[in-house]
Every structure is written in C-alpha cells, then in structure tokens.
Amino acid sequence: MRIRLLACLAAAVALVASLVSPANAELYHPRQAWLRASTAGLFLHWGMFTAPRHTDCAAWERDVTGGGWTPGYWIDEAKKLGASYVVLTTFHSRLGYARPWPSKVPGSCSTQRDFLGELIAAGQAQGVRVMLYMTDDPQWHNETGHESLDSAAYSAYKGKPVDLTTRPGFGEYSYDLFDEVMDRYAGLAGFWIDNDNEYWEQHGLYERVRAKRPSWLLSNNNEDTPIMDTVSNEQKTGMTPSYDYPQAVYTPMPRLTEADYKLPTNGDWWYSGGDQAVDFRLSTGRYITNAGSSIKSLMAETAMLSGRFPPQQEAFNDFMATWRQPIRESLEGTEGGGYMYGGLQPGLWNDGAHGVITVRPGAKTQYVHVVTRPSTNLVRLRDNGYRVTGVSDLRTGKPMRFAQSGGYLSILDISDWDTYDTVFKVNTAGQQYFYDKSTIKASAPSLVDGSYLTYWDAGGQLPVSVTLDLGRKRSTAYLAVHERESSPTYARESFGRAEDSARIKDYRVHASDDGQTWRTVRTGALPSARGVQFIDVGEVHARYLKLEVLNTWAGPQAKPFYRQLALDEIDVAYGYPDPRGEVPLEAESWRNGFEGKATPVWCEACSGTNAVTGLDRGAVVFRDVQATGPSRLQLDTTGPGTLSVSVNGAAPVTVAAPGAIPVPLNAGANTIKVSGTADLDRIAVAPMPPESSTPRTTLTVQPAGVQWVSPGQQALRITASLRLDVDDPIDDVSLAPVVPPGWTIQGAAVTAPDLRLGQVLSGSWTVTAPAAQDVSIPVTATFRTLGRTKAVSKPVQVKQRPADRVFMREAEDSANDIGDAGVTNCSPCSGGQKVRNIGPGAAVTFPGVTVPAAGQYLLYLDFTVNGDRSYFVSVNGGAPVEVKVSGAGNNTPYTTSVPVTLTAGANTLRIGNDRAGAPDLDRVSLG
C-alpha cells in the first residue's frame, strides 16, 4: 500500500486530482475565487459559419452589425440563467477560425469591429466575466472546400514559411494570438482551451499566461492538466437518471470542474438553422445535480448571426429567470452536499426519488433538492449524523413535518411538488455521535486526518483492508465511508473510453478486542454511487475495526479504473441523532396489532429505534394501510430471513427479507399481516413502478465486435455475465445465447434463484454453425422483478470474411488490447464502432493474427482521419514501420495498406504512434 501526501504550496495546494490524472494542480488560488462562487456559465458558439454561412470575413461582420448585434443581450441572457461568466467561442475549428477583434496577426478572419472588447465591457458593467475559447486544432481548415487559414499571409508576417494547416504551424499562429489577446484585453477573465497543442507545451504557453496575466483562469476540455484551473467535461449522456451529469465526472473535489452541455436537445453546438427544442426536464435536472456536486454548469446556446437566440432558447432563459428566483439561496454560495463539505446523503432515495444536497458553509443549513419525486408523499434519506431542528419548503416557506431516527431523515406529508425541483431547507444543530478523529489511529493515517487533500490508495491490490484503532474498547454503530470521486459511477462508453466505477462493491467489517483475533460483524455490498456511503454494523463493542474490500465495481474493460481503489476519509459513529417523530408504517407503532410472541424491542439503527421480534411465534398486523390499488410492498428487517405476508386475509406469501413484492391492495384501507424468521423494522407501500421499468443491470458479452469467419463449419466460444447494479433483488434469473435455426449450442443456460446488489451470474457456451453465414446471436438474460418478467440482451455479430482476405478483425474486438485508447461509436464504420485516442501510451495490439503459411502479406488498415497523420505498425515485436495517411472527416472511412512479413500460425500486430496522435482505427485485414 502507499499513502500519498499532497504538499501545501505558498499560494496553492497541490492535489492528486484523480487516479488517472497528474498531481500538482493548483487549488484555492485567489484567481479561482469567482468561479468557485459561480453556479453556471453561458457557452456561446458563434462565428463565420453560423447560419447563414459566410466565407468572406468582411461580409460576415457587416451582416452581424446590420442584424443588430449588441453585447448587452448576451449578458442579460446569461444572467437569466444564473450564469456569472460567458465563454465566447468564435475561434473554433468548425466556425471558420473567426477572431471577433481587430487583429494585427494575419492568418484567419479578423473583424474591424471589436466585438470581444464590447462584450468584456458589457460584462464588467453587470458583474459577468468573459472567457475566450481557443482551439488547438487545424484539421477542419477546409472542411467544406473553403480554406479558412491563410498560411501565406502569416508566413509573410513571420518572415518564414509556416503551414497553418499543420499542428506545429497552427500552434505557432495561435500562440501569437494568445499573446495579442493578453496584451490587448486586461479585463478578460481567462482562456477556455479545447485540448492541447504540442507547440504550446514546448514553448511554455501556459507559463507565459501565468506570468503575463496571473489573475486569469485557464480551463481545458476533457483533460485534467495540472497547470489548468479547471477540468471541463463535454456533453456526457447515457446516465440514469439522464439528467444526473455528475455520474460521468471523474475528478474529485476540490478540483474546479465544469459540465459542458447543449441546451438545444438536438443539433450542433452552433446555430446551423432552425429552432431546436430545449428539454426543460433534462436541462434543469443537469443544472441542479451539478450544483449538488460543486460542478459548474457551462450551458451552450446557439446564437444566431445577429447574436439573438432562437425562440425556444429565449423561452427557456425566460423560464429560468423566474424558476430560479425562489431557490437562489440554495444554489448561490453553496457547495455540493454529501462530499467533502459535509451534508446529508445525495442520490437515490425512497420510492423512486432522486436528488442532491447543497450546503451553506459549515453545513448546518442544507437544502434537499428532490429532482425526481417519489411515488409516495414522503422523502427519506440518510442524515449523515446531522440532528435536524426544522424543515421548510424553500419555495413557499411552509414548515414541513419530519421524523428522524436510525440514521434517516423523513420529510412527511409533501403535497406541493415542483415540476423540476422541490427544495426543502433543512436546519440542523450539526453532526452528532462521531468519534473525534484525533483519538483514532489507522493503518492508513490519511483516512482519519480530516483532510480531503490526502487520501489512501490501495495500489491496485484487491482484496485489501484498512484497520482503525479506537484507542480502547468502544461502541460503534456505523461507518461513513468517503470514497474518492475519481471515476464515473456507471458502465458505458464515452469519448473513446469505457467508463466504470472504481468504488467499493463487496465488503466485510471485522471487529477485535486485541487486534489479533477478529470476528465478522457485517458483510454486504455498497452501491456504485457518488457521495458518502454508510455501513451500519449494529452495536459493536471493540477496540479495533477492519474494513475489508473484496472488489470494486469497475470491470476489466475500464482499464484506468479496474482494480483501483482510493478512499478519502472514514468516520466512525457510536450512535444516531436522537429520534424525533414517527415514520408511517413502523412495525412497533401502537396503531398495529401484535399477536403471539410478537414484541417491540430496542434497535438503535431501526426506524423509530425499535423493531418487532418474535415473528416466528406471532405476527404484527398493520391496520388501515392506505393505497390506491395494486402496490409495491417493501419490508425492512434487521437481518436476513423469510417473512410470510398476508393481505386482507388472503393466503400468505413467503418473501426473502429484506425485500419487496407486489401486493394486491385495494383502493382505500387495507390490512397487512406479517410473520416469519426475521425481525421487522418497518414496511413501506408505494404504487407499482411503470410496466416499462427495468432494474439497472450490466450485461457483458464476449467476443465483442463483429466476428469475421472463414467459409465452412464454424464454432464460436461465447462468454457472458449479468451484474445487478441496484438494491432491489431480481428473481428466476436465466442467461444464455439464442442461436439461429440450424446452429447447435453446447452448454445449458445458467440460472440463479435471485441476484442482489452487485452479484454476478456468468456462463460460457460453444455455438456451432454448419456453414459460415451472416447472423446476429443475441445473448439474453431473463428475470422477474415485482412479479413481472423482464429481459436484457446483447448480440454477438458474425459475418463471413470476404474471399480476398485470409484474416479480418475489428479494432474494437475484445480479443485485442487497446490499452488507454478507447472505443467510440462510428455509424459508417464496420461494426458501428472504432478505436480512438491512439497516440503516445495508447496503441492497439492484435494477438492471434493467424495465417496459413509464412511469407509476405498485405495488411489493410481501415481508418478515419481528418488531416495528415501516421500509424506505426510493428509485427511480432519488430521495428515499427510508418504508414502515413490523409483524410477529410472523422466519420468517413478510408483504407490503406502496407506489406508485412508474418510467420505461419499466430502473429502479433501493434498499431499505434508513440510520437503524436494517430488516426482512429476501424479494422484490420490481411490479403
């Protein structure tokens, strides 16, 4: 194991920002203060190619001015969104590299009118800062046949030949523009930079910015670069809920982080014609969840030629101006709650609810943002040890009835739901019943030092454990575990990299009086979720506690996160905040009937601090259970067991506890009788989820990528695994391929009576075809949830290899090693995918490239590229051979070839570029 300590510098703090990012980024520098205090920014893409597209710079400027462009309009619209800064994006590779200021440096469109200067002045007058977008990329210089870069003019200006269409030449040109802007616009807030250019790095551009304009910010897109102030994350999608953008972010606090996303639901980042819709639900949800994770919402709108926004975007801005007003105090001057700043636990709550927490400094005043409302009239979430003194609806000021016990806060009798975000102001008396960390010693001292600028890294070792010494024998009720937010929380492909969570999955907690003899006090699984996570251990009396982590959620497809684990802090609690109020349907309630030996008993971790025991010789009867019809019945118990549930006198149904089942409740009052072998804490009744609702799972199938086979009989080995990613168990699980007629399958379906959080069902099969053919073989998992049958499926695509090829394999095939490169979608590519981000440290290795005889073959490379780039091809570890290629579009497949000498049987090919970025790779084949 290794403990990483981040040194404090004079004006900043050095931070290892994530498991996959470099150290020594500056934190808390005075130049960053304004952005830390911000909630949002406005991202403006606007330039020569804004519709209607211009190719003449003077004509574009004339039409912009004639259309009535004014800087005050943009500033006013930004303020409606609650944005405190604007990023002006005109020097953009897809917008004609336009510069909206009078420039002395020739090379691309430059205006006579000082649009940039006017915007800066208008922003300063209203307290809105302006940042300038700068691109590193010349590849789109003649995207549609119009040459946007003037190498001849710039060469004459420099007195030497410079080709602006190359990365070095464009880097030198744009370097001069950075200098010009720094000299001309003292009021600018900084640069928003779209990735890096090698020329900038080699010539110390960022150090120059720091020297000339030390108060300016530097922001970089999609990379965590230490010298930059912020890490920006561009247009992440595919989350559940779809608005929960923070699930895609991999950079832990307190690093400054932006989420960059489009407000128009469809279309380009810039105005290309038409009035695109804005999804209010998605956009407001992103805005709130970002604020609840201390992430800045950088919202992109598509300004038209005159600068005005299309009507649907203007309408959204007007809506935001009024919708935000009643809840401003929960968004401005707050931080995300449940992380390093304290606060209740964010995420998924009861009965389908989902939301985030924002906190004021000190975390005594907090805000519960219910973005997805529950199907019931209460919200129940972990209190993280805070004793709640009052709750009110922030929009109306109405005091709310609440209850607190067993580590949970329940806000009750909610009737006024906002369509997009119901906000409750929660006043607290601070946290209770946590041991002073100065009294705890740990095998990893950084876990109990109270600082989020140090953390413990497991060094790629799993299973692994950490030990806490409480100093003497003491009581422990629960652990609050703060995992490092250095990975996404779900499995998907984004920006060329498989993303998956490096958070704890299966764990055990052990206790000891002497540090030698251990007893297990809790086993379980934690969800793949952001924010503080809790492990309730009951009443444990011991001096030593050991948290053993068996595995994490990341799979081998997510190489940067696989088998990685890092923890910020662990808090040890010896009790829960004092109980107050009663949650509906608590088992011990005086409203219930108790039969036989059923008796309420003390249970500090339970709702209401009581449970009902003796159900093996008695029963608890819940009277007057209100419902609107068939419902989901949740049964919370103090441990595993089975329960027998009878509804309205019907025959009892046996349930594995804790768990949830469908029950045929009547509209109005019902009676539910529960007996069994587990102690019952409480029940909860909610409407059944929609028929379309399916528990979240991850289905992994190999081989992945199109399988190209030769003529004749074919046999294919298929492996698959199904993982359950949510708390509700699924039953009667079955997993198997479904083969086409005429095929045979060796191996039966694998089955499990049930799966619980984090559990995996795996199998392997051999499928055989009488002859090669183009087919899709679905690998399908079926299961039941709440009495409903559901299925998820993923295909294995098989195609017959062309007659003029002796070998063919997709770059994204699971048989390959793509290292730190990644897979991304590409609709015109073979198989619909390709491998991108090939370059220094990221190559694609093809093992098992089999040929019938030794000799020379022609290696075909199918690729996409925009501009001039190179591959380097190595065979069986030999010297690499450069293959130069050119193209005009990353969505246009091309093919090139190079002769290679192979041995009979299996060979290994390595395709990469250790010097610079390589083209994206679609497929390889041998002629």
Side-chain angles (χ1 to χ4, degrees), residues 4-6 8 13-15 27-28 254 340 451-455:
R4 295 182 177 175
L5 181 63
L6 308 173
C8 293
V13 180
L15 171 68
L27 298 180
Y28 303 122
M340 64 178 288
S451 172
Y452 286 80
L453 303 183
T454 61
Y455 68 92

Side-chain angles (χ1 to χ4, degrees), residues 12-13 39 60 78 139 304 422 430 482 486 501 519 548 574 579 602 670 689 727 729 768 830 842:
V13 180
T39 302
W60 173 62
Q139 66 173 314
M304 298 184 289
T422 305
H482 300 260
S486 52
S501 174
R519 60 188 184 276
E548 181 184 14
Y574 56 91
W602 172 257
N670 296 265
D727 279 320
T768 305
S830 172

Side-chain angles (χ1 to χ4, degrees), residues 508-543:
R508 299 189 188 110
V509 178
H510 312 278
S512 173
D513 297 329
D514 57 9
Q516 301 296 321
T517 303
W518 296 88
R519 60 188 184 276
T520 302
V521 297
R522 180 66 187 262
T523 62
L526 290 180
S528 174
R530 289 173 59 85
V532 58
Q533 301 298 319
F534 300 94
I535 301 174
D536 294 293
V537 296
E539 289 189 71
V540 172
H541 300 278
R543 173 174 175 172

Side-chain angles (χ1 to χ4, degrees), residues 189-220:
F191 294 113
W192 200 99
I193 301 169
D194 205 346
N195 298 311
D196 279 330
N197 183 285
E198 293 83 353
Y199 184 94
W200 300 345
E201 295 170 331
Q202 294 163 2
H203 292 80
L205 171 64
Y206 306 132
E207 292 79 6
R208 187 172 180 83
V209 174
R210 289 281 179 255
K212 294 184 73 169
R213 294 294 182 187
S215 66
W216 286 15
L217 283 181
L218 289 173
S219 182
N220 197 16

